[in-house]
Amino acid sequence: MPVRLGALFPKRAPKRRLFLPKICCQFCTLRETNRTMDQRIINLFDEYTHAPLTRKEFISRLAKLTGSLTLAMSLLPLLENNYAQAATVEDKNIKTEDITYAGADGVTMKAFQARPEGKKKLGAVLVIHENRGLNPHIRDVTMRVAQAGYLAIAPDALSPFGGTPANEDEARALFSKLNTQQNLTNFLRGLEYLQKHASGNGKTGCVGFCWGGALAAQLAIHSPELDAAVAYYGRQPEAADVAKIKAELLLHYGGLDERVNAGIPAFEQALQAAKVKYQLYVYEGANHAFNNNTSPARYHEAAAKLAWERTLALFGRTLK
């Protein structure tokens, strides 16, 4: 059921109207109508999830933007993740388990693994989460990869701190404490785990989202054995490092994601100069995190579906 939010009027307007969303117990998904939410609200939430902005300051700024604290609080369910949407349905054809593997400097890396039951010689995919850690949404994505016929693992970047905490603000805060080189090595070890897995065929790919999209590019730079890398709305690497990439790249961006998209021209120029094989798509009308179906205000169903079809097509060409 579409949820409509009226446009916010300028501050000098004598009256300000907002059509309050009808929030059902399932937090009605906005789907294509997510663009009806004032873009300033989505941009503010994007700033909150990526910048050192406290929840108190975020709520305060949201209240000023909407005109009242009551309205600000009513919008939160549409902005924040609702993991009930990511409830992974059990599939008897897919074997899932929580695993560990050796990371850098003695760290034991935790990961969620999914693979088709009883199948061998599978292409393998490393799934890299956003800056919220290994949560139900990423487990669901990992299941989707396995259902498409691949061996898949999703490492928990916050393993050095004991794993992803339930509180997302706490999780985001821990990302700034990660050692960059150690974290990169931890994920490179994840690729090694997949390359040596008894059910694998030795070919590996990765797919990352947001923070994970940026890391997917770094894995392509630092792992010459990687066959394919897919980055969803990830920050671009330094142009000087692009020539090291051997994997085929697939890059997905939301057309409304000005913050991340600012780095596209320099990145694409470097890719072309280095003759890296890549595909780049910008999905008009889609925001940052458009693939995340647990984030009602930003999820864009059409863009997510098309991007996923393209992702699986790349894996089909390179990993099987």
Side-chain angles (χ1 to χ4, degrees):
M1 176 178 179
V3 181
R4 295 192 57 80
L5 291 174
L8 285 170
F9 289 88
K11 291 184 178 180
R12 293 183 180 179
K15 292 183 180 181
R16 175 177 293 183
R17 287 184 181 177
L18 272 173
F19 292 100
L20 292 177
K22 181 180 180 182
I23 304 174
C24 63
C25 61
Q26 295 297 322
F27 300 135
C28 305
T29 303
L30 292 179
R31 302 183 186 277
E32 294 292 343
T33 61
N34 60 10
R35 71 192 69 182
T36 65
M37 178 177 283
D38 191 303
Q39 189 62 36
R40 291 174 296 171
I41 295 175
I42 296 177
N43 290 345
L44 174 61
F45 184 70
D46 184 72
E47 181 182 352
Y48 167 55
T49 57
H50 294 92
L53 189 66
T54 66
R55 186 172 183 81
K56 182 178 180 180
E57 184 177 355
F58 164 63
I59 296 296
S60 175
R61 288 173 58 180
L62 182 60
K64 290 179 181 178
L65 188 58
T66 60
S68 74
L69 179 60
T70 300
L71 181 54
M73 298 306 291
S74 74
L75 292 179
L76 283 180
L78 297 175
L79 293 167
E80 297 183 319
N81 291 342
N82 170 26
Y83 290 130
Q85 297 289 337
T88 303
V89 178
E90 288 190 18
D91 186 337
K92 65 180 181 180
N93 297 313
I94 302 298
K95 178 177 175 58
T96 63
E97 57 186 318
D98 291 307
I99 64 162
T100 61
Y101 64 87
D105 306 320
V107 171
T108 297
M109 288 295 294
K110 299 178 179 180
F112 174 67
Q113 178 173 283
R115 60 185 174 87
E117 185 72 77
K119 299 290 182 67
K120 300 288 185 180
K121 302 300 181 181
L122 299 168
V125 177
L126 188 80
V127 180
I128 316 172
H129 54 64
E130 302 165 317
N131 67 339
R132 292 169 175 78
L134 181 55
N135 56 36
H137 168 60
I138 295 300
R139 288 174 178 264
D140 182 48
V141 171
T142 307
M143 279 283 291
R144 289 184 230 165
V145 173
Q147 288 168 334
Y150 300 94
L151 163 67
I153 66 166
D156 188 343
L158 299 181
S159 294
F161 307 112
T164 298
N167 184 292
E168 290 196 345
D169 284 338
E170 292 179 10
R172 280 196 296 268
L174 288 175
F175 277 84
S176 64
K177 299 178 181 180
L178 284 171
N179 178 288
T180 302
Q181 185 56 52
Q182 184 190 67
N183 179 69
L184 176 61
T185 301
N186 287 340
F187 278 82
L188 288 171
R189 295 277 179 86
L191 287 177
E192 293 174 5
Y193 168 88
L194 288 173
Q195 289 160 357
K196 298 176 182 178
H197 198 286
S199 296
N201 63 11
K203 295 183 178 181
T204 53
C206 66
V207 55
F209 306 87
C210 183
W211 180 89
L215 186 54
Q218 291 300 318
L219 292 181
I221 289 168
H222 291 90
S223 176
E225 296 82 16
L226 188 68
D227 295 285
V230 183
Y232 281 73
Y233 31 82
R235 181 171 55 83
Q236 299 81 6
E238 295 293 331
D241 292 329
V242 171
K244 301 174 185 177
I245 297 175
K246 305 300 180 184
E248 183 174 345
L249 301 186
L250 176 57
L251 310 168
H252 301 300
Y253 298 101
L256 300 176
D257 190 4
E258 296 180 0
R259 176 181 59 85
V260 171
N261 293 357
I264 291 177
F267 186 29
E268 190 161 25
Q269 183 177 13
L271 288 168
Q272 292 171 353
K275 297 182 179 179
V276 175
K277 191 173 183 180
Y278 77 96
Q279 298 175 75
L280 188 156
Y281 297 99
V282 177
Y283 300 85
E284 296 304 324
N287 274 290
H288 186 84
F290 68 80
N291 182 71
N292 191 339
N293 64 310
T294 71
S295 179
R298 297 185 294 172
Y299 176 55
H300 193 296
E301 184 178 28
K305 181 180 179 181
L306 181 55
W308 190 246
E309 289 174 352
R310 288 168 170 166
T311 297
L312 294 183
L314 173 63
F315 290 157
R317 290 197 311 273
T318 58
L319 304 184
K320 289 188 176 181

